[in-house]
Amino acid sequence: MARSGAGSGSGPGPGWLLPPSLLLWCCLTPVFCIPRPGRDPEFSLPPKPCQAPEQWEGRAVVYDHNTGRNSRVLITYDGQNQRVRVLEEKKGHIPCKKFYEYIYLFKNPVVFKIEQVTKQCSKLPLIQPWDPYDIPDNSTYEDQYYIGGPGDQIEVQEWSDRKPARKFETWVGVYTVKDCYPVQETYTKSYNVTTSTRFFDLQLGISDPSVFTPPSTCQVASPEEMRDDC
């Protein structure tokens, strides 16, 4: 953001309000008289990652860049207990498409994959480590900007795991400035984007904690992955 200063060309600058004697003194010692309406960037403290809420629910669109598919899901997020429930949304009829519910219990660690119609259940080991929806303390600040147009804007900050002169980013997260809600997260691997997730309709808290309890069919869950085709 450019700082305001004296006018250019033949137009009047700030000095036109000063008497001649004081104007002459200002010309000799300009550092004391040039208006400085804002704080110098070099003296500003660098932004710090905000604290994201630990429990929320909402919706998201996950785009898999490897398959080219979008998945619309409902998410219930419990960072305190390291568990996430993901419910695929049904948007029209897609031949041979099955819709699933996923219950990730990272402390166990196990994931239940449940077919929404038959309630057939698979119980699978959860290999990936817990990765909360937040901004790690060692993140690199990238940018701050507004999403939307005049009168309908949300201020966000963009962070990444990039380390200057050492590594490129493999994660980029966009979070709201006001309440630190996730807006978008992008992951890359070997310089290729793998997944992009957009979050919306978020609400603070968990309205129904029972969504983390697997249905009774999971008591005899199969240890094998279910097939997604017909």
Side-chain angles (χ1 to χ4, degrees):
M1 180 181 294
R3 292 186 305 192
S4 59
S8 59
S10 59
W16 74 281
L17 293 174
L18 302 177
S21 59
L22 186 57
L23 180 60
L24 176 63
W25 180 79
C26 281
C27 291
L28 296 176
T29 56
V31 68
F32 297 104
C33 294
I34 296 177
R36 305 182 71 178
R39 181 181 297 178
D40 283 348
E42 58 267 27
F43 295 111
S44 299
L45 294 175
K48 293 184 178 181
C50 56
Q51 184 65 47
E54 292 190 329
Q55 292 184 327
W56 52 263
E57 52 191 12
R59 301 172 62 205
V61 174
V62 183
Y63 179 65
D64 188 326
H65 292 256
N66 295 319
T67 64
R69 293 181 179 178
N70 274 316
S71 298
R72 295 184 175 272
V73 298
L74 300 174
I75 297 180
T76 304
Y77 173 75
D78 183 4
Q80 293 179 358
N81 298 293
Q82 296 186 8
R83 54 187 186 174
V84 181
R85 183 255 197 167
V86 177
L87 182 69
E88 292 183 333
E89 288 192 274
K90 298 178 181 180
K91 295 293 183 179
H93 175 70
I94 303 176
C96 292
K97 168 65 176 175
K98 295 181 180 179
F99 293 89
Y100 294 95
E101 174 185 4
Y102 299 86
I103 301 176
Y104 297 88
L105 305 177
F106 285 86
K107 287 187 176 181
N108 285 53
V110 66
V111 55
F112 293 93
K113 181 179 180 180
I114 305 140
E115 205 277 321
Q116 293 187 28
V117 176
T118 64
K119 299 301 180 183
Q120 183 181 356
C121 181
S122 291
K123 182 179 180 181
L124 308 169
L126 193 53
I127 300 175
Q128 64 264 41
W130 168 247
D131 184 12
Y133 288 120
D134 66 359
I135 307 170
D137 292 335
N138 61 348
S139 298
T140 297
Y141 172 76
E142 298 289 354
D143 203 355
Q144 182 166 327
Y145 47 86
Y146 290 93
I147 295 176
D152 188 18
Q153 296 177 323
I154 297 177
E155 191 174 13
V156 298
Q157 285 184 345
E158 185 176 299
W159 297 80
S160 78
D161 64 349
R162 177 178 63 87
K163 301 304 176 190
R166 283 192 291 162
K167 61 168 286 191
F168 292 101
E169 64 273 7
T170 60
W171 164 82
V172 176
V174 180
Y175 282 72
T176 61
V177 171
K178 182 177 182 293
D179 294 313
C180 206
Y181 282 110
V183 175
Q184 182 169 346
E185 285 199 339
T186 302
Y187 284 88
T188 60
K189 185 177 181 180
S190 301
Y191 304 102
N192 294 318
V193 177
T194 56
T195 58
S196 299
T197 305
R198 295 183 289 110
F199 303 90
F200 48 94
D201 293 343
L202 301 189
Q203 298 291 332
L204 187 63
I206 298 173
S207 60
D208 183 12
S210 68
V211 297
F212 296 107
T213 302
S216 58
T217 52
C218 289
Q219 295 178 5
V220 290
S222 169
E224 302 293 332
E225 177 80 21
M226 280 184 283
R227 294 175 59 90
D228 293 339
D229 54 4
C230 295

